[in-house]
Amino acid sequence: MNNILVPVGTSPDSHETLQYAVDFASDFGAQIYVMDVFTVSTGAGALGKVTEKVAQSGKEQIKQVISKIDTKGIDIKIASYNGDIIDGLNDIEKELGIDLIILAPRSNDINEEYYLGHTSGRIIKQTDIPTLIVPKGTKHAPIKKILCAFRSGILKRSKILYPLSEIKNKYGSEINLLLVKTPGYSEDDLKINTALLDLSKNVTISENPTTYHGVLEHFQKAHPDMLCVFRRRRGFFKKLLEKNTILKSEFYAPIPVLVLSVKKD
């Protein structure tokens, strides 16, 4: 795992997410890129100067965020982009090769209505970059137990498991698979990718209305440090195909959630 990207928003707690990312990256010897996205749309004559001023202002704000954390000797680089955040993420990924995005959900306050806000939801929905969602205030610690939940064990490309494999190798993580048989499942769904099986300690099969209901049923027993799910058309975050936000009544996790994207599924 070489390059980790952290989109920094306007939240006063954004340094907490960045600190988690730095602590995580230091374990892997990875480079951290902090992303600043802005939109400038003016007359052509003034566009260059205005863009430069806005970009510089954004960099100064990010430097203030960085000043609040322990960088652990990592030279954090700032990646600025003028335009839409998804276009920026895709451009940066093509240029640098991003192995993981680390971001916070909208809020970890139990009184907040949303688990995923509009921006974090769009990132998970509209990119194919593996993403680690870290609840606000989470302190990084070795990841010893991972619950990987899914409704179909079919993976067309085993390489999407790369982040999960890297985490397992680094921390000696125990990975438990939870295959949730939801209404309308097929026999093919019960076939689990051999690379995924090789990473795991055991497999549990459960019958529930949704994958999330299966996770709720087995969460306390598994007591994981991380939840791993797949972003696919019929998968865990299928509501993201309908909208960008996710209510806490639809999903909530008090631990980091690793989202692995399955293309053209």
Side-chain angles (χ1 to χ4, degrees):
M1 199 173 301
N2 299 315
N3 296 322
I4 295 174
L5 182 68
V6 185
V8 173
T10 58
S11 168
D13 303 311
S14 57
H15 66 283
E16 295 182 356
T17 303
L18 182 56
Q19 184 67 69
Y20 183 99
V22 166
D23 294 344
F24 182 90
S26 66
D27 286 349
F28 292 88
Q31 174 65 56
I32 288 281
Y33 291 88
V34 177
M35 186 176 184
D36 175 45
V37 178
F38 59 92
T39 301
V40 174
S41 178
T42 65
L47 181 59
K49 291 183 178 180
V50 172
T51 301
E52 183 178 345
K53 287 182 179 180
V54 174
Q56 185 59 39
S57 175
K59 287 181 180 180
E60 292 302 320
Q61 291 179 8
I62 288 177
K63 288 178 181 178
Q64 291 180 15
V65 174
I66 294 174
S67 70
K68 297 179 181 179
I69 69 169
D70 176 5
T71 64
K72 297 195 168 183
I74 295 177
D75 180 20
I76 299 175
K77 299 184 183 300
I78 300 174
S80 298
Y81 186 83
N82 178 17
D84 182 74
I85 187 169
I86 303 303
D87 293 334
L89 285 170
N90 289 330
D91 284 354
I92 291 172
E93 199 283 327
K94 289 178 183 178
E95 179 182 351
L96 302 173
I98 300 301
D99 297 301
L100 185 69
I101 296 172
I102 294 181
L103 53 74
R106 177 186 172 103
S107 172
N108 197 40
D109 186 340
I110 198 64
N111 295 318
E112 285 284 349
E113 182 180 9
Y114 290 96
Y115 170 71
L116 283 184
H118 182 75
T119 299
S120 54
R122 286 189 67 216
I123 289 173
I124 293 172
K125 175 183 176 179
Q126 298 179 28
T127 74
D128 292 310
I129 306 170
T131 302
L132 184 60
I133 307 170
V134 180
K136 185 172 67 175
T138 302
K139 305 295 183 183
H140 176 60
I143 300 162
K144 293 300 184 181
K145 287 189 176 182
I146 301 173
L147 178 62
C148 184
F150 50 91
R151 73 173 301 279
S152 172
I154 300 173
L155 298 177
K156 297 178 181 178
R157 300 175 305 115
S158 296
K159 68 179 182 179
I160 70 167
L161 297 172
Y162 168 72
L164 182 62
S165 176
E166 287 285 287
I167 291 171
K168 173 184 169 65
N169 292 338
K170 173 56 65 176
Y171 302 113
S173 310
E174 173 186 301
I175 300 176
N176 296 301
L177 305 184
L178 176 62
L179 195 165
V180 184
K181 294 162 63 175
T182 59
Y185 77 90
S186 69
E187 290 301 316
D188 282 343
D189 289 331
L190 303 183
K191 299 175 183 178
I192 302 176
N193 178 276
T194 54
L196 183 56
L197 282 174
D198 289 343
L199 289 174
S200 65
K201 180 181 179 182
N202 59 55
V203 180
T204 299
I205 298 178
S206 176
E207 290 196 43
N208 298 94
T210 67
T211 310
Y212 180 42
H213 282 87
V215 169
L216 287 177
E217 180 182 338
H218 295 274
F219 189 86
Q220 292 301 325
K221 181 180 179 181
H223 197 64
D225 302 310
M226 175 180 287
L227 174 64
C228 177
V229 298
F230 298 103
R231 203 289 296 170
R232 64 205 321 172
R233 290 189 180 279
R234 298 181 301 146
F236 197 83
F237 284 119
K238 65 180 182 179
K239 283 187 177 292
L240 281 176
L241 297 173
E242 303 165 4
K243 57 184 180 179
N244 293 322
T245 56
I246 287 186
L247 294 167
K248 285 188 174 178
S249 59
E250 297 168 337
F251 173 75
Y252 174 75
I255 59 174
V257 178
L258 177 64
V259 183
L260 303 178
S261 293
V262 180
K263 290 183 178 179
K264 300 178 181 179
D265 179 58

